[in-house]
Amino acid sequence: MSAVALPGDPPGGRKAIAVWGIGVSVYFVAVIFRTSLGVAGLDAVERFDVGASALSTFSILQLLVYAGMQIPVGLLVDRLGTKKVLTIGVVLFTVGQLGFAFSPSYGMALASRALLGCGDAMTFISVLRLGSRWFPARRGPMVAQLAGLAGMAGNLVSTLVLARLLHGVGWTTAFAGTALAGVVVLVLLLLFLKDHPEGHEPEPFPHQGAAYVRRQIAASWREPGTRLGLWVHFTTQFPAMVFLLLWGLPFLVEAQGLSRATAGELLTLVVLSNMLVGLVYGQVVARHHAARLPLALGTVGATALMWAAVLAYPGEHAPMWLLLTLCAVLGACGPASMLGFDFARPANPPERQGTASGITNMGGFVASMTTLFAVGVLLDATGDDYTVAFSSVFVLQALGVSQILRLRKRAARRERERLVASRVETVHVPA
C-alpha cells in the first residue's frame, strides 16, 4: 500500500495565478463600485435631498439584492461555471454604476444601486469557485483570504481615489469615470479566463429542474459546517461593512467632530488593517486549522469591546487614540468573515461548493443590511444620537455568537467524520 495525492487536486502554478488574478480583478472592481457610496454619503444627501433613513435605503437595497442573490448565484456557478456568471455580473454592475452617475432622481438612483448589487452578488462566489478549481485544496484558506484582500484594495481605491475625484470633478464625472474599469475587466475576462485547468474538468452533474435546485440547497443546509459558516460570516463581517459602506464617515464627522479629510484617513486605516490582518489570518489557518473558531470569536469580542469603549466614552468626543484603535480592530472583521468559508468548504463536495458558499455569504450581508436599516431608523428617531443607533451592533453580535456556540460541536464532529471517510477512500491504493 502506498500514499497518493487526492485525485483531481489541481496543481496551481503561474498559470493558475494568472487566471485567478483575472477573476480577482473583477471582484476588485465590484468592491470599488459597492463601496463608492461610503465616501459619497454626505454628497448623496445634498444631491437627492434625503434624510438618514432614505440614505440608508441605498445601501440596504443594494445589500438586500446582494444577499437575496447568493443562493441563486451559487446554483448558477455550480451549473454554468465561473466565466459565464462573472460575465453577467460585470455587465450588470457596470451598467448600475453608470446609471448611478447619471441618475437625476432618488428613485432612479435606487434602481441603479439595486442593479449594481445584483452584478456584485455574482463576483465573490465565482472567485472562490475559481480558486478551488485552479489551486490545491490545502491552499484554500490562503486563496480565500487573498481574494478578500483584493476586495479591501478596491475599498481602499474608493476611500482614497474616488473621494478625491468626487470633490474634484463632481458626481457624474467621478462615477461615470470609474465605470470604465468595468469595461476593462470585462475584456480581460472574455479573452483570458478559463473555468478550470486542462485535465481537471469537473464531473458533469445533470440538471433536473426544480428538484435539483431543492436538493442542492437542502443538502448544503443539512451540513452543520455550512450553517456554522453562515453564522461566523454573519457575526464577524457586518460591523466593518456598515462602517465602511455608509455610516462611518457621518459618525466620525457629525458625532466625533472630525474633518472629512481626517475621517477619510480613519476609513483608510480600517482598509489597511484589513489587508494586514487578512495575510496573518490566512497563514495561521493554513497551518493550524483549529484556529478558525478562536480567531472568529476573538475578533467579535475585540470589536464589541472597542465599540463599547467609544460609545460609552464620557467626554463629548472620543480621543483620537481610541478612534484609531477602533478602526484598527474593525479591520479584522473582513478576514474573520472569510473564516466562515473555511467551515463550509470541507463540509460539502465539489459539486455543492457554489451553493454552500452562497449560503455562507448571505450571513454577513443580511447582518449588514439589518444594521444599516436599524442605524438609519434610530438616527431619525433620536435626533442623530449615534450612541443609541450604533448600539444595535451588540444585538446582532449576541445573536450570532449564540448560534456559533450552538453549532460548533456538531460541525467539528461532522468534519472529522468526513475527513476519516475521505482518507479511507482516497489515500490508500493497491501497491
Side-chain angles (χ1 to χ4, degrees), residues 43-393:
D43 299 87
V45 169
E46 296 178 4
R47 180 178 177 88
F48 301 113
D49 190 24
V50 294
S53 296
L55 178 62
S56 66
T57 303
F58 277 124
S59 296
I60 291 168
L61 178 61
Q62 183 179 333
L63 292 183
L64 178 63
V65 172
Y66 187 105
M69 286 291 293
Q70 289 310 292
I71 292 178
V73 168
L75 291 164
L76 282 174
V77 170
D78 285 337
R79 179 62 183 163
L80 301 179
T82 301
K83 185 170 184 174
K84 291 179 181 178
V85 176
L86 276 180
T87 301
I88 297 170
V90 173
V91 172
L92 291 177
F93 69 59
T94 301
V95 173
Q97 186 78 340
L98 276 173
F100 196 60
F102 293 101
S103 292
S105 66
Y106 176 69
M108 186 173 293
L110 273 179
S112 297
R113 295 306 286 187
L115 192 62
L116 192 156
C118 186
D120 181 19
M122 299 184 176
T123 58
F124 188 65
I125 293 176
S126 297
V127 172
L128 288 179
R129 162 73 172 249
L130 197 66
S132 69
R133 291 299 188 193
W134 281 90
F135 293 96
R138 67 181 184 277
R139 302 293 185 193
M142 179 55 70
V143 170
Q145 289 289 351
L146 289 175
L149 190 66
M152 292 313 297
N155 203 325
L156 190 62
V157 170
S158 285
T159 304
L160 295 179
V161 178
L162 183 59
R164 294 180 181 178
L165 279 175
L166 194 62
H167 299 291
V169 300
W171 179 283
T172 299
T173 304
F175 280 99
T178 57
L180 293 175
V183 178
V184 173
V185 295
L186 178 61
V187 172
L188 292 174
L189 168 64
L190 292 174
L191 291 178
F192 302 112
L193 190 133
K194 294 182 179 181
D195 282 351
H196 46 71
E198 293 182 11
H200 292 271
E201 294 82 359
E203 295 182 11
F205 290 90
H207 189 279
Q208 298 174 4
Y212 165 84
V213 172
R214 286 195 297 269
R215 281 198 300 271
Q216 285 285 90
I217 296 173
S220 297
W221 183 254
R222 277 196 299 269
E223 293 291 345
T226 304
R227 284 175 279 146
L228 179 59
L230 179 147
W231 284 108
V232 168
H233 200 268
F234 177 101
T235 314
T236 53
Q237 187 202 49
F238 80 93
M241 176 71 73
V242 168
F243 198 79
L244 290 171
L245 198 61
L246 185 61
W247 290 121
L249 189 68
F251 169 74
L252 294 171
V253 173
E254 297 177 354
Q256 298 301 320
L258 303 181
S259 67
R260 289 177 65 132
T262 303
E265 291 171 357
L266 286 177
L267 294 180
T268 303
L269 174 61
V270 177
V271 177
L272 292 175
S273 173
N274 185 299
M275 298 171 76
L276 177 62
V277 175
L279 290 174
V280 174
Y281 278 18
Q283 291 283 359
V284 170
V285 174
R287 297 175 182 177
H288 307 284
H289 211 50
R292 294 170 298 171
L293 201 56
L295 285 176
L297 292 175
T299 301
V300 174
T303 304
L305 178 63
M306 292 315 305
W307 263 122
V310 170
L311 296 178
Y313 191 78
E316 183 179 0
H317 303 305
M320 180 57 70
W321 66 265
L322 189 55
L323 295 176
L324 286 168
T325 307
L326 170 68
C327 290
V329 170
L330 285 175
C333 291
S337 72
M338 294 296 101
L339 299 174
F341 298 101
D342 291 325
F343 289 102
R345 188 184 305 111
N348 291 273
E351 65 270 18
R352 289 206 310 262
Q353 288 295 317
T355 306
S357 295
I359 293 172
T360 300
N361 208 29
M362 284 180 61
F365 289 94
V366 169
S368 298
M369 178 178 59
T370 303
T371 310
L372 283 167
F373 177 73
V375 170
V377 169
L378 289 171
L379 284 175
D380 282 344
T382 60
D384 292 338
D385 188 331
Y386 280 90
T387 299
V388 174
F390 272 104
S391 294
S392 58
V393 168

